[in-house]
């Protein structure tokens, strides 16, 4: 039976580990599919690949095993319970065989110092790095005789890539690669280029802007790859995209929308570095002004609070005016388990992009905007408009 590869960059991170445990648990009938949009009845007759079709592999820069990563999550948030890990441990061992040393290239200080026990490959040049990743992907394709491959970037958030002419077109990036111009590339750029080189679909689940520049997008398009991004919309931004349209639709004038986020896991630790944090803040910040107007006073803060672990907490304050300009306030607190919210989205995206590419529907998958904080080329941040676009696609399939 033909299989589809799901290649996770950052394969032993919190989200990837939860995807691996989750897919295995679902294939064994040990869990319900709660949280998967692709299990919505509208997708029933679309011919999406069954969850059991996916075979997993990936790149990782830290040593260890998937089971060890899962045990850390078990001890921390308890979101991966002991009995489930016992039931899927053989599958995790099998996936571990397909996890290769990741490459670290110009990823910024925070990521480079992530773990002293790193197994990262630090290539001499962008060309070497690209060759290494491409070889690993091709070996995975051959080994499992894959009918399709989806590469998902789930690695740590990189700092923004400084402006560089090389990012403006496929041609300029290719010539930067020929010259081995190091500053034009971060690790995520090389992962997306490798996806294009092997004809894989590519999903950027991170806010790292270096992955999907105009140049890499053009290269993916020319290689007939389906792609989408960026930055999974899983928690506070998800709530905002449902709530902000309500104020607009009821002609309530929002004056202030303040957002305060506290994260405690490895992602939070990386985001405690100002450069890396600025990528996330930029990605989270688009929505309020797009839906409610440029004049809303809106700031987003992200703090690292280690004891929270994966249970991210966000507090939002919305100050608005109603009839006769009377001032009122709404506040909400969101406490979500980050990886539990993100993993089903990754699985949904893998099914959707694999299906689209198998039908020859390549390039940007605009109907996937509901999954992202910064959906590429999709002007509307309102959740309902994004959901309608996805369902419309399902009806046309
Ligand atoms: N709800 C969510 O969890 C959520 C939502 C939106 C976006 N994201 C993004 O998804 C990514 C993963 O989140 P996470 O919570 O799993 O983080 P994590 O820190 O647990 O996992 C990231 C993994 O990537 C690895 N890594 C770093 N650089 C790499 C490289 N160059 N090659 C291969 N592996 C590399 C790290 O060692 C780590 O294991 C982050 O960028 C995060 O911002 C997460």
């Amino acid at each position: 039976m033909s299989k589809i590869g799901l290649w996770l960059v950052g394969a032993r991170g919190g989200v990837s580990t939860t995807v691996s445990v989750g897919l295995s648990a679902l294939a064994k009938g040990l869990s319900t599919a709660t949280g998967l949009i692709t299990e919505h009845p509208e997708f029933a007759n679309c011919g999406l690949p069954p969850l059991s079709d996916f075979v997993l592999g990936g790149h990782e820069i830290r040593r260890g095993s998937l089971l060890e990563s899962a045990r850390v999550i078990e001890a921390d948030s308890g979101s991966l319970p002991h009995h489930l890990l016992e039931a899927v441990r053989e599958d995790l061992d099998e996936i571990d065989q397909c996890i290769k040393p990741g490459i670290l290239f110009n990823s910024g200080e925070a990521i480079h110092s992530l773990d002293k026990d790193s197994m990262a490959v630090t290539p001499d040049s962008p060309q070497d790095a690209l060759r290494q990743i491409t070889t690993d992907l091709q070996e995975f394709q051959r080994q499992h005789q894959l009918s399709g491959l989806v590469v998902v970037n789930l690695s740590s958030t990189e700092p923004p890539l400084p402006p560089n002419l090389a990012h403006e077109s496929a041609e300029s990036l290719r010539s930067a690669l020929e010259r081995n111009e190091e500053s034009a590339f971060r690790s995520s750029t090389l992962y997306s280029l490798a996806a294009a080189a092997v004809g894989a679909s590519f999903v950027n689940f991170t806010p790292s802007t270096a992955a999907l520049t105009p140049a890499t997008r053009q290269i993916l398009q020319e290689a007939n790859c389906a792609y989408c991004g960026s930055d999974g919309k899983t928690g506070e931004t998800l709530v905002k995209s449902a709530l902000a349209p309500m104020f607009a639709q009821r002609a309530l004038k929002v004056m202030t929308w303040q957002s305060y986020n506290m994260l405690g896991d490895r992602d939070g630790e990386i985001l405690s570095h100002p450069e890396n944090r600025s990528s996330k803040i930029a990605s989270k910040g688009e929505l309020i002004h797009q839906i409610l107007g440029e004049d809303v006073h809106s700031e987003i803060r992200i703090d690292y609070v280690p004891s929270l672990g994966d249970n991210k907490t966000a507090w939002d304050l919305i100050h608005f005016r109603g009839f006769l300009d009377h001032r009122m306030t709404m506040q909400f607190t969101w406490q979500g388990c980050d990886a539990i919210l993100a993993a089903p989205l990754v699985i949904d995206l893998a099914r959707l992009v694999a299906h689209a590419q198998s039908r020859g529907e390549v390039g940007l998958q605009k109907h996937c905007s509901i999954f992202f904080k910064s959906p590429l080329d999709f002007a509307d941040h309102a959740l309902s408009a994004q959901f309608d676009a996805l369902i419309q696609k399902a009806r046309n399939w």
Side-chain angles (χ1 to χ4, degrees):
M1 199 178 61
S2 85
K3 290 278 179 189
I4 299 169
L6 175 54
W7 189 267
L8 306 175
V9 181
R12 295 193 194 101
V15 179
S16 294
T17 303
T18 308
V19 169
S20 300
V21 172
L23 265 177
S24 174
L26 283 163
K28 287 179 160 35
L30 298 173
S31 177
T32 67
T34 309
L36 285 177
I37 306 184
T38 48
E39 289 295 305
H40 189 288
E42 291 279 3
F43 289 97
N45 299 315
C46 293
L48 294 183
L51 298 173
S52 54
D53 273 12
F54 285 97
V55 48
L56 271 64
H59 279 113
E60 178 53 73
I61 57 169
R62 291 176 302 113
R63 286 183 204 284
S65 71
L66 262 179
L67 188 62
E68 281 165 10
S69 299
R71 292 262 189 255
V72 171
I73 297 174
E74 178 198 351
D76 173 25
S77 69
S79 60
L80 300 180
H82 189 75
H83 69 274
L84 205 58
L85 297 187
E86 287 305 309
V88 303
R89 60 185 298 167
E90 279 178 19
D91 289 352
L92 299 185
D93 290 346
E94 239 173 72
I95 299 169
D96 266 326
Q97 305 303 313
C98 297
I99 297 180
K100 303 285 179 197
I103 59 106
L104 259 190
F105 197 87
N106 197 16
S107 284
E109 208 186 309
I111 300 178
H112 282 261
S113 61
L114 198 59
D115 198 311
K116 293 189 178 57
D117 195 20
S118 170
M119 63 169 190
V121 177
T122 41
D124 289 336
S125 67
Q127 282 186 33
D128 280 353
L130 184 56
R131 210 173 295 122
Q132 174 70 55
I133 307 168
T134 307
T135 304
D136 291 341
L137 292 177
Q138 285 167 336
E139 193 186 310
F140 186 57
Q141 285 172 316
R142 259 196 312 273
Q143 186 188 351
H144 295 281
Q145 300 187 332
L146 300 174
S147 61
L149 176 61
V150 181
V151 175
V152 185
N153 182 19
L154 282 166
S155 64
S156 312
T157 301
E158 296 166 343
L161 194 59
N164 185 319
L165 287 176
H167 306 139
E168 288 181 7
S169 70
E171 198 187 345
S172 51
L173 193 62
R174 284 199 189 99
S175 70
L177 187 64
E178 267 166 37
R179 294 192 307 275
N180 274 321
E181 188 187 321
E182 297 192 1
S183 60
F185 301 89
R186 290 209 191 279
S187 304
S188 66
T189 324
L190 295 157
Y191 284 118
S192 65
L193 287 178
V198 304
S201 310
F202 182 78
V203 176
N204 185 24
F205 203 80
T206 78
S208 304
T209 50
L212 287 175
T213 62
T216 55
R217 288 177 59 180
Q218 196 183 336
I219 290 171
L220 284 158
Q221 175 84 49
E222 286 171 6
N224 291 324
C225 300
Y227 71 87
C228 54
S230 287
D231 200 9
K233 182 163 79 172
T234 57
E236 187 226 20
T237 313
L238 173 69
V239 179
K240 281 163 124 172
S241 69
L243 191 57
M246 177 196 79
F247 289 95
Q249 287 158 5
R250 292 299 297 264
L252 297 167
K253 175 63 195 145
V254 174
M255 298 175 291
T256 298
W257 195 310
Q258 293 291 102
S259 309
Y260 180 48
N261 295 267
M262 290 174 274
L263 279 84
D265 53 10
R266 194 182 310 102
D267 190 27
E269 190 182 340
I270 290 289
L271 296 178
S272 69
H273 295 258
E275 268 192 307
N276 306 62
R277 187 168 58 234
S278 69
S279 293
K280 189 65 107 181
I281 287 178
S283 165
K284 283 169 84 67
E286 288 176 16
L287 182 147
I288 289 300
H289 291 131
Q290 191 270 319
I291 298 176
L292 296 171
E294 289 298 326
D295 60 340
V296 179
H297 177 87
S298 181
E299 287 168 331
I300 296 167
R301 301 210 187 285
I302 303 175
D303 276 349
Y304 177 46
V305 181
S307 71
L308 285 178
D310 202 28
N311 290 310
K312 177 188 156 173
T313 300
W315 168 69
D316 278 42
L317 179 140
I318 305 143
H319 195 205
F320 62 100
R321 276 189 280 120
F323 194 47
L324 303 179
D325 283 334
H326 190 69
R327 291 169 184 232
M328 294 168 268
T329 302
M330 177 186 178
Q331 300 177 46
F332 71 81
T333 311
W334 170 267
Q335 288 176 296
C337 185
D338 244 7
I340 286 292
L341 291 160
L345 272 59
V346 174
I347 296 169
D348 280 332
L349 283 161
R351 292 177 102 180
L352 291 166
V353 297
H355 184 60
Q357 188 159 328
S358 73
R359 291 169 52 93
E361 297 172 15
V362 299
L364 179 60
Q365 307 294 298
K366 276 196 188 183
H367 55 276
C368 290
S369 62
I370 191 169
F371 296 98
F372 298 108
K373 292 189 191 78
S374 303
L376 295 169
D377 298 352
F378 195 89
D380 202 339
H381 278 276
L383 190 69
S384 60
Q386 296 173 339
F387 184 68
D388 289 348
L390 182 63
I391 294 302
Q392 197 51 49
K393 186 71 180 173
R395 288 180 185 157
N396 291 336
W397 269 343

